[in-house]
Each structure stands twice: as structure tokens, then as C-alpha cells.
Amino acid sequence: MSPLLKAVSDWAHGVLRGWNRFWFTPSMPHTLALVRICGGAMLLYTHVVWSLNLNAFLGRESWLNANTVALLNQDAQGRNYAWSYLYYIDSPALLWALHIGALIVFAMLTVGLFTRITSILAWAITIAYCNRLTGTLFGLDQMNAFIATYLMLGDSGGVWSLDHWLASRRLPLTTHHSPLTCSPTLRTNLAIRLLQIHMCVIYLFGGIAKMRGDTWWDGTALWYAFAQLEYQSLDMTWLVHYRWLLALLTHVTVFWETFYCFLIWPKLTRPLCLAMAVGVHVGIAVCLGMKTFGLVMIIGNLAFVYPETVRDVVAWIVRPFMRVPGEKVAAPPIKRQSLAVAATR
């Protein structure tokens, strides 16, 4: 084989090995479990909010009734692919019964009870609510829907769940296995990888959309955001005296969002990219009043935290509550095994 063909062949085999390692390396469930707890709690909260005026949103005499929403969701050929069982609910009592049942499902998902079933039910319920509530949806609802999708695909109840606790209780007393042990699975890795790629797509198209506007080029976009009283929850108009800072923040934000999909993968830039994500979304939550949206975006970014890191940090946090009185609490050790696993990603 000629040197050129050998080089091409080695490159192709390297690409294939990298592809298989990326998608088909079993992963520990700690990151997905944390996303389940936080994402499930967000699903529960956002659907509890609908309870404040359920009939006005979903009832027979709602602002947009079922027939109107079904027409809005039809395509040019009259087909409606936006399925929702809520189209067919006409009784207020039945509506409330189903709504309470949905809240119970979200609560069970959050605590990890019958996770394989409740994750599928939570996904179906979330999609049904989104399709029925056309006209009242925001980015929060879209984030909820796709996080629920990946929780359904992976082993989100593999740890830190009632399922795992109950399974450990069923172990014989003579077993040599720790009740906290869990196993890496392929479907957990697939769910995390899909969630990661989905986050990259969201940020990429968000950055491209911003670059189509003049205010993101001339550095005034953040000023217009801060100056809108409709969204203002913290008065940041004092920044008008520091226009250079407004321009800098504007340009850094659009650069980070556009190139997130490139900066998030290298180990050198990932911590900086994640820190920027936390800063941007905390800023959105605090300054623009979109607290739940800012929080759910941070939940989505958790997908890029290594499960070994999540495991060690959570263990370090809960250790003071589980230690023997008088025992000293040390910082989590840096394990060679964790570094070896991280080095392959």
C-alpha cells in the first residue's frame, strides 16, 4: 500500500474509532440523574403554574379552545401532526383529574420512581400540553420537551432515585455489593450525547439569528434588552454611562453563543464555556425576569459535566450530613480513574 493510501486509511480508521467511542462508550448515570432531578422538578413546577387558571388555558371556554388550536396546527393539506389528548377533554372534572395525574407523574419522575415508565409518560404529557397550548408557549416549554425526550431514552433512574434505593433494599444482606453501586450503560451515553448535540444546535442557530440583527453588530443589543420595561426585573440602565462595557458584553455574548458548539468540546475551553453559560443565563434570570428559562438552560448545560465530576461533587456535598460526629470532612479527591475516563472524551 502506498504511503498516501496508508495515511488515508489510518485517518479513516481513526475517525471511525472516534465515532464509536463518542456514541457507543457506556456512561455512568450520574449526570443524567442530576438532569432528571432538576428537569423533573422544572416540569412539575411549570405544570403546577397552569393550575392557577387551568380552565382559562385548557377548558371548554379557554382563550384558545381545542378546535381553534387544532386548526392552527394544521398544515396546508389539513393534516394535524400536533397530537394532544387534551383536544378531546370537555369535562372540567376530567380535565382536573388528568392534570393532577400529570403532576403526580412529574413528581414520580423527579424522585425516580418507576422511572422507565414515568419518563415515557412525562414525555407524552409534556408534548400533549405543548401542542394544546399553542400560542402560549415560550423557550422554557421547548426546553422542557426536549429534556424530557432524552430522559426517556437514557437510564435516568440509575442512581439517586427511589428505583435504585428500592433495588438496593431487595439485595440480600450477605451481598458484597454496595447499595450505592451503579453500572455504566450505552443508552445513558446516547441520551447524554443527543442532549449535548441538541444544546449545540440551539446555541448555534441562536447566534446566527442574533448576527442577522444590526444591534448585535453595533454593540447596542444588551442596552435595548435592559431598557425594556416589560422584561426589566433589575434596573441595569446605569450601564448607559459605560457604553464600552455594553458593547463588550454584547459582542462577547454573541461570539460565545455562535461558537458554543466548537468551544464546548475541547477540555481546555469547556470549563470557560460552561462558566459563560451560567453567567449569561443567570444574567437573563436576574436582569430580564426570565428565571425559569435561565434555570432550564443551565440544566441543559449540565449534560457537559462529566458523570465522575457530578458523582464526586455530590458526594462531597452530602458527606457532612452523613459523617460520624467529630469526623473531619475533606475535599473530594482527584481520582486517577476519573481522569482516565475523562481523557477518553
Side-chain angles (χ1 to χ4, degrees):
M1 181 182 296
S2 68
L4 178 60
L5 290 178
K6 186 179 185 305
V8 172
S9 176
D10 291 343
W11 173 82
H13 281 89
V15 171
L16 183 60
R17 286 193 300 270
W19 173 269
N20 290 334
R21 185 172 62 250
F22 182 85
W23 288 109
F24 305 116
T25 300
S27 177
M28 298 294 283
H30 298 80
T31 297
L32 194 62
L34 182 60
V35 173
R36 186 205 79 237
I37 295 169
C38 299
M42 182 61 72
L43 283 169
L44 178 61
Y45 169 77
T46 52
H47 286 79
V48 165
V49 171
W50 296 120
S51 307
L52 300 177
N53 209 347
L54 188 66
N55 288 320
F57 286 105
L58 298 170
R60 183 188 308 166
E61 304 298 330
S62 57
W63 291 312
L64 287 175
N65 60 37
N67 292 331
T68 301
V69 172
L71 289 173
L72 289 173
N73 287 328
Q74 285 183 359
D75 62 13
Q77 287 73 39
R79 294 169 297 194
N80 182 5
Y81 296 104
W83 169 87
S84 175
Y85 63 85
L86 295 169
Y87 290 148
Y88 312 104
I89 306 303
D90 199 46
S91 166
L94 181 57
L95 175 63
W96 271 104
L98 291 173
H99 184 66
I100 292 172
L103 298 181
I104 293 173
V105 168
F106 293 135
M108 293 173 67
L109 175 65
T110 304
V111 300
L113 182 60
F114 306 123
T115 313
R116 290 191 178 183
I117 299 174
T118 54
S119 60
I120 297 173
L121 291 176
W123 170 81
I125 292 169
T126 302
I127 296 299
Y129 271 74
C130 287
N131 291 338
R132 172 62 180 87
L133 291 165
T134 297
T136 58
L137 299 179
F138 296 92
L140 168 65
D141 305 284
Q142 297 167 345
M143 289 292 298
N144 277 340
F146 90 71
I147 287 177
T149 301
Y150 303 125
L151 291 178
M152 174 182 62
L153 296 179
D155 184 20
S156 59
V159 72
W160 302 332
S161 64
L162 288 181
D163 287 339
H164 188 248
W165 180 78
L166 291 172
S168 67
R169 296 279 292 180
R170 289 193 291 267
L171 290 174
L173 295 177
T174 56
T175 182
H176 296 288
H177 296 283
S178 168
L180 296 179
T181 56
C182 55
S183 302
T185 61
L186 176 60
R187 64 191 185 100
T188 297
N189 185 65
L190 288 173
I192 287 293
R193 292 307 192 189
L194 289 171
L195 178 54
Q196 290 173 339
I197 291 175
H198 204 147
M199 294 295 296
C200 289
V201 171
I202 288 174
Y203 282 123
L204 176 61
F205 281 90
I208 292 174
K210 284 179 173 60
M211 287 192 294
R212 296 177 63 187
D214 294 335
T215 57
W216 289 98
W217 289 100
D218 62 25
T220 61
L222 283 187
W223 163 249
Y224 284 111
F226 291 144
Q228 286 193 30
L229 295 178
E230 179 182 2
Y231 294 104
Q232 190 181 94
S233 57
L234 180 66
D235 186 6
M236 299 293 292
T237 55
W238 55 270
L239 282 172
V240 71
H241 302 293
Y242 306 93
R243 298 188 180 183
W244 65 270
L245 182 57
L246 281 169
L248 177 63
L249 292 175
T250 299
H251 292 142
V252 168
T253 299
V254 72
F255 175 85
W256 162 79
E257 188 165 0
T258 304
F259 292 96
Y260 176 98
C261 58
F262 302 104
L263 298 174
I264 196 63
W265 299 108
K267 296 179 180 63
L268 179 63
T269 55
R270 178 178 291 193
L272 299 175
C273 195
L274 288 176
M276 184 69 184
V278 172
V280 167
H281 294 300
V282 168
I284 290 174
V286 173
C287 300
L288 302 181
M290 292 182 278
K291 300 177 179 63
T292 50
F293 174 73
L295 182 57
V296 79
M297 291 301 295
I298 293 175
I299 293 172
N301 276 278
L302 289 175
F304 287 98
V305 182
Y306 295 124
E308 294 79 17
T309 302
V310 173
R311 178 197 62 199
D312 292 345
V313 170
V314 170
W316 177 68
I317 292 173
V318 303
R319 190 174 296 140
F321 306 99
M322 302 177 65
R323 74 181 192 274
V324 177
E327 180 186 2
K328 294 183 179 181
V329 181
I334 300 176
K335 299 181 180 179
R336 293 184 178 180
Q337 182 180 3
S338 297
L339 295 177
V341 174
T344 63
R345 297 176 181 168

